Amino acid sequence: MSIKRKAYIAGAYEHPGRELPDTSIPQIHAEVAIGALADAGLSLSDVDGYFSGGDAPGLGGLAMADYLGLRVRYMDSSDMGGSVYLSHVGHAAAAIAAGKCNVALVTLGGRPRTTKLRAPGQLMGSPPESDYEPIFGMNVSAVYAMAAARHMHEFGTTSEQLAEIKVAASVHAQYNEHALLRNVVTVADVVNSPFVSSPLHRLDCCVVTDGGGALVLVSPEIARRLDRHCVAVLGHGEAIEHTAGGFQDITVTGAVRSGADAFAEAGVRPGDIDYAGIYDSFTITVLLALEDLGFCAKGEGGKFVLDGALHAPHGRLPFNTDGGSLCNNHPANRGGMTKIIEAVRQLRGEAHPAVQVPNCELALAHGTGGWLSTRMGNATLVLGREDA
Amino acid sequence: MTVESQSLPAPAPEVTPEGAPFWAATADGRLTLQQCAACGRHVWYPRYVCPHCHSTQLEWVEASGRGTVYSFTLTTRGILDYAGCGPYVLALVELAEGPKMMTNLVGVDTSTLSIGDEVQVVFADTGQGNALPRFRPLAEP
C-alpha cells in the first residue's frame, strides 16, 4: 500500500528561540506542539498519534505524552538520529493510511547550546561499537571529515566546492530574522576559517542551537475540513547504512536507497523537484546527499554546487532557504525537523519573499542522521502542494 | 605536526563477552580479527553474528597488523578522555585482511600524510591488562 496522498501536513512550527537557558526541554516540546497544532487549527485534544525521537526526555514518548496529556492510540518513538523526523512523517502517514490514527503529532526539542549534552554516546547507552570507536577519540566533526577527505581523494572534490554550500545557506539566512548566523559569507571566508577536523573548517560545520519544531499530519478527510493549505505526503523512503563488518564505502550514504524509494512512491524524478531541504550538519553531508539522491552523478557533487546552483529562488536546485543548519538552527543537534518545516513553507508559498521559489509545487526533504564514515540513518520525503 | 603515542590517552575498554578474546590478545601485542567460517570474510568490530552472511560461525584469527590509510583527519575537537590532549589524528585504516578499523595514527607527519600510506599496528598499554591498537608508518624493511 502506498502512502501517496494518504496523509497531509496540516501544521508546522519552528521554535524561534536559539538559546533557551530558562526553558525546560519538555516545555520546548510543548511549545512547538501547541504551535504546530494552532497552525493547523487543531489542539492537543485532537491528537491521537504521537511520534518522538531520542531527544524526547523520558522513556520513549511515554513521558512527553503524559506531560502533554495526549490521548494516544498510536505511538512511535523510534530513533535514527537527526533523520528520524523525516522517517516519522512516513510512519505517521502509514499509520493514518491504516486507520490507526487521524491526527499525528511529531515533536523535536532540546538544549544542546545551553547544556553540556553534546557528545555522542552520552545520550545513547552503550552501543556495541562503543569500545572500538569512541575509545580512539572519535567525535562528530572527525567522522564527517574523514568522509570529506576520502571524497576529495577519490573524486577531486575541493574545499572551495564544499564552501559553496555554506555560501548559499548564508545568502538565504540573511533574510531569516531568527537565524543564528545572518552574515553572508564568501568561499574565502569558509576556507580561511580554522580547521575543526581537517579538511572541514569551522564554517563547514552547522550551528549548535537550542530550540525545536513540530509537525501535525492529518487524514485526507480532516485536511479537507481544515481552513488551511495542507501539504501532501507523496513519497517516503528510509535506509540504514552501516559499517558492513568493516567494508563500508564512506563516500556513499543510504540516500541512494531512501531517495529511490521516496521518488518511486511519489512517481517523480529528481529533475521534477522545485525545492530541496537537505540535511546539512556539515557541508559534506549536503554534497553526498545531492549525489546519492540523484541530483547529479556520483563524484560530481563538487561541480554541481558551483554557479549558484543551490541559491534561491533561481538556482537549479534551491535548497535550505531558511539558512539551514549551517546558519539558521540545528535544534537538539538534529536537523531533520527543520528541513521539513521549510519545505512546507515553500509549498505553501510562505517562505521569505526573497527566497520563495516561484510556483513551488514539488519539494524534497532529506535527512542523514548518525555519523558519516560509520553508521547512519537516512530518510527522504517527497512532498507536494495540496492542489498540485 | 607529528602526534606521538605517549601524548594520547589510552582509556581502558569495557570488555564485553564478544570482544574479550580481542582485548586479551592485545595484552600480548597481537591484533586479532573475527573471520566467518561460513563465508570466509573478516569482520570488524567483534560480534556474535556475521554481518555478511548471518552465520554464527565466527572464529578468531591473527591479523597481519598491516594496512593502508583509507581516510584520516587531524581533529582539534577532542571529547571525553581526549578533551585535553591537543590535536590528534583519527583514521580509518584498511587492514590487509579487508576490514576498516577506526584508530589513531601516531608518529606521522601530518603535513605529508596521505590516504593510501602503508601503516603497521602499535599498541598503547591501557594499564588495565590490555592495549589500544594504533598505527604508525610502516617501517622500512
Side-chain angles (χ1 to χ4, degrees):
Chain A
M1 182 180 69
S2 168
I3 60 164
K4 186 175 181 178
R5 295 191 183 279
K6 298 285 176 55
Y8 288 80
I9 298 176
Y13 182 80
E14 178 184 357
H15 201 293
R18 301 295 178 262
E19 292 189 348
L20 301 167
D22 300 320
T23 308
S24 77
I25 292 173
Q27 182 180 339
I28 296 171
H29 280 267
E31 289 183 10
V32 295
I34 291 167
L37 286 159
D39 183 47
L42 296 166
S43 71
L44 285 168
S45 55
D46 294 311
V47 173
D48 61 354
Y50 181 48
F51 297 74
S52 61
D55 56 282
L59 184 64
L62 282 179
M64 282 312 309
D66 175 69
Y67 183 100
L68 295 166
L70 299 178
R71 286 190 293 277
V72 169
R73 61 187 181 110
Y74 195 90
M75 196 172 88
D76 176 352
S77 55
S78 55
D79 204 8
M80 297 209 305
S83 62
V84 75
Y85 313 96
L86 298 112
S87 166
H88 280 164
V89 168
H91 296 187
I96 290 169
K100 296 293 182 185
C101 59
N102 291 308
V103 176
L105 171 68
V106 190
T107 65
L108 160 80
R111 289 180 45 209
R113 192 171 178 88
T114 53
T115 65
K116 294 293 181 193
L117 288 173
R118 290 191 185 191
Q122 288 181 313
L123 295 171
M124 300 178 5
S126 290
E129 73 277 10
S130 57
D131 292 307
Y132 309 99
E133 293 176 355
I135 205 165
F136 296 106
M138 179 188 123
N139 65 72
V140 175
S141 63
V143 286
Y144 285 76
M146 286 198 289
R150 185 71 196 183
H151 200 274
M152 290 175 169
H153 174 77
E154 287 194 25
F155 302 113
T157 305
T158 66
S159 291
E160 287 76 14
Q161 290 169 338
L162 289 178
E164 292 282 358
I165 296 165
K166 176 72 163 199
V167 170
S170 77
V171 167
H172 300 156
Q174 68 181 307
Y175 303 108
N176 181 353
E177 64 177 311
H178 300 302
L180 190 75
L181 305 177
R182 295 188 69 187
N183 290 337
V184 176
V185 301
T186 66
V187 168
D189 290 335
V190 180
V191 299
N192 291 328
S193 65
F195 280 123
V196 170
S197 293
S198 66
L200 296 181
H201 304 82
R202 178 179 294 163
L203 295 186
D204 286 300
C205 308
C206 71
V207 297
V208 175
T209 60
D210 301 344
L215 296 165
V216 178
L217 283 91
V218 299
S219 64
E221 295 72 29
I222 295 175
R224 279 192 289 274
R225 286 209 306 268
L226 294 174
D227 182 23
R228 190 71 175 104
H229 286 298
C230 296
V231 164
V233 180
L234 302 178
H236 155 254
E238 60 192 51
I240 304 298
E241 194 68 38
H242 50 63
T243 57
F247 290 83
Q248 73 269 39
D249 177 348
I250 68 173
T251 68
V252 180
T253 74
V256 172
R257 291 178 288 134
S258 68
D261 284 352
F263 282 123
E265 189 164 47
V268 302
R269 293 144 51 110
D272 300 324
I273 297 295
D274 300 311
Y275 167 82
I278 299 187
Y279 204 92
D280 54 347
S281 47
F282 297 87
T283 51
I284 184 65
T285 322
V286 177
L287 190 106
L288 295 186
L290 289 169
E291 295 177 352
D292 295 345
L293 291 167
F295 290 110
C296 61
K298 192 68 206 172
E300 297 292 316
K303 295 180 184 127
F304 180 85
V305 301
L306 300 178
D307 307 320
L310 301 177
H311 291 237
H314 300 303
R316 291 193 303 282
L317 184 68
F319 101 127
N320 295 9
T321 42
D322 60 339
S325 294
L326 289 168
C327 296
N328 175 25
N329 68 343
H330 194 64
N333 293 333
R334 289 161 170 255
M337 172 66 76
T338 48
K339 301 302 165 287
I340 312 167
I341 293 173
E342 183 68 358
V344 168
R345 291 191 191 107
Q346 281 284 349
L347 291 166
R348 287 171 168 175
E350 296 171 356
H352 189 283
V355 294
Q356 174 67 48
V357 175
N359 303 313
C360 186
E361 294 190 358
L362 205 57
L364 171 142
H366 175 74
T368 312
W371 301 276
L372 294 187
S373 301
T374 59
R375 53 198 62 72
M376 69 188 85
N378 302 262
T380 310
L381 294 172
V382 177
L383 305 172
R385 246 172 31 192
E386 184 177 28
D387 54 353
Chain B
M1 64 169 288
T2 300
V3 180
E4 290 302 337
S5 187
Q6 53 268 30
S7 68
L8 295 179
E14 186 176 327
V15 178
T16 61
E18 299 104 306
F22 172 80
W23 292 113
T26 64
D28 305 327
R30 293 184 300 116
L31 186 72
T32 56
L33 283 175
Q34 287 176 312
Q35 184 175 19
C36 178
C39 74
R41 298 188 78 183
H42 291 84
V43 174
W44 179 253
Y45 52 89
R47 63 193 81 191
Y48 173 73
V49 60
C50 173
H52 308 301
C53 76
H54 301 151
S55 161
T56 54
Q57 299 175 61
L58 290 172
E59 298 173 349
W60 287 96
V61 296
E62 187 113 359
S64 66
R66 292 191 177 189
T68 57
V69 176
Y70 174 77
S71 195
F72 71 94
T73 179
L74 178 68
T75 184
T76 63
R77 302 287 286 185
I79 57 172
L80 306 177
D81 293 304
Y82 290 74
C85 72
Y88 56 97
V89 179
L90 188 76
L92 283 165
V93 166
E94 186 168 5
L95 301 174
E97 291 77 15
K100 301 175 187 86
M101 176 181 284
M102 195 171 287
T103 184
N104 305 117
L105 300 181
V106 293
V108 293
D109 179 349
T110 54
S111 65
T112 58
L113 177 64
S114 295
I115 287 174
D117 284 358
E118 293 185 89
V119 291
Q120 65 184 47
V121 70
V122 290
F123 287 95
D125 189 350
T126 66
Q128 302 292 320
N130 45 40
L132 297 186
R134 290 181 167 133
F135 288 79
R136 61 182 309 121
L138 183 66
E140 296 298 324

